[in-house]
Every structure is written in C-alpha cells, then in structure tokens.
Amino acid sequence: MVLAWLCLTFGVAVGSAILPVISIELFVIGLVTQQPHISCWWIGLAVGVGQVLGKLVYFLAARGSLHLPAFLRRGERAERPASEFRLRWKARLEVVRVRCHRHPHWMFGTHAVSSVVGLPPFMFTTVLAGLAGMSTALFVTTGALGRFARFTVLAASPAMMAGWLH
C-alpha cells in the first residue's frame, strides 16, 4: 500500500511541475496527515524526483533542445512594428541572458535557493536556467537535492508540530 501512495505522490509531483495550478504542497500535507506511517524521506524522494522530471520539460524547451508540439506553440502572426515597450523588454532580457552566460555560478546559486525556498519561483528559475545554458546534469542535481530537502521537511512538519505541542 505504501508503494501505491508513493507512486501516486510521484505522479502528482510530475503533474504539479507541468501544470502549476496543482499544489503539491497541499497534497503532501494531506498525505502525511492521512497516512502518517509513510516515511517523510520516501515522500521527499518521490516528490523531488517527480518535480525535477516535470520541470525538465520546461528546462529543455527553454534551452531549445525540446521542440514543443504545434498546439503549444504560438501561431504565426503578421510581423508588426515593435513598440518601444517591447524593444525595451527584449533589451532587458538580453542583458539578463548575457549576464547569466558571463556568470554561470549565479544561476547555480539562484536555482539551488529557489529549489529549496521557492523564491524566486522555481518555474522562473527553471526557464531561466534553460535560457542561460546551464548543464542538464547540474540542473537535475541542484533541483532534485533542493526539492528533496524542501519536501522532506514539509512531510515531517505535521509530526514535528504534534511533538512540540504535546
């Protein structure tokens, strides 16, 4: 029965990574309150791996290694003259991209902190890591370790709170 719950947790983690409207945090809290016999370590592992596998889609798409299906891509539009706002936005994005390439350790640190704390949002740093050209191995390692730590602590938090209150 534990394996079934862990497989379900893994599936919800992948789904929440791809569709951000699904809250894996609420799922984990609900799971540990209803199934307290499941180890927080196993839950953290299932969620960490699932989240990184789901975010890998965004990472590879941002890097240009994964081509999205036609229904997910923006349709061809008639070329219109760029507004001043759009030109400024493109220039700012180019500055960020150049800085990320010049200082790859910044992206590593930002992505690592985001995977644990959630600020800046993990989705944002995932896409930015892809745009910055972070290696896939480094992305997977920092994301999995950070997400494992985050969700292991989250899964252990109801039992810790109960212990403190008694």
Side-chain angles (χ1 to χ4, degrees):
M1 191 64 168
V2 171
L3 185 59
W5 280 110
L6 290 174
C7 288
L8 178 65
T9 303
F10 175 80
V12 172
V14 171
S16 72
I18 295 172
L19 297 171
V21 296
I22 301 170
S23 174
I24 189 63
E25 286 85 357
L26 288 176
F27 180 84
V28 167
I29 293 295
L31 176 66
V32 297
T33 56
Q34 295 300 311
Q35 302 293 324
H37 60 280
I38 300 176
S39 172
C40 63
W41 300 104
W42 287 112
I43 293 171
L45 181 65
V47 174
V49 171
Q51 283 268 296
V52 171
L53 284 178
K55 293 295 185 200
L56 202 55
V57 172
Y58 290 104
F59 172 78
L60 293 174
R63 208 167 79 169
S65 301
L66 177 72
H67 299 287
L68 298 175
F71 71 91
L72 290 177
R73 281 185 264 148
R74 189 179 272 177
E76 295 294 322
R77 291 196 264 176
E79 192 64 33
R80 59 180 186 186
S83 67
E84 185 178 326
F85 174 77
R86 183 176 281 213
L87 291 174
R88 280 187 287 158
W89 183 247
K90 277 186 165 184
R92 287 180 186 154
L93 282 177
E94 184 61 24
V95 167
V96 169
R97 190 186 65 74
V98 168
R99 283 188 183 164
C100 287
H101 280 289
R102 208 174 326 150
H103 304 285
H105 57 281
W106 287 358
M107 193 63 244
F108 165 75
T110 304
H111 182 67
V113 168
S114 173
S115 67
V116 175
V117 180
L119 288 174
F122 191 56
M123 174 68 92
F124 174 74
T125 60
T126 296
V127 173
L128 191 58
L131 290 173
M134 178 186 258
S135 77
T136 306
L138 187 60
F139 171 80
V140 168
T141 303
T142 57
L145 288 175
R147 285 297 175 178
F148 171 75
R150 175 186 176 97
F151 287 103
T152 300
V153 169
L154 182 68
S157 63
M160 290 186 327
M161 290 300 292
W164 288 339
L165 294 176
H166 284 284

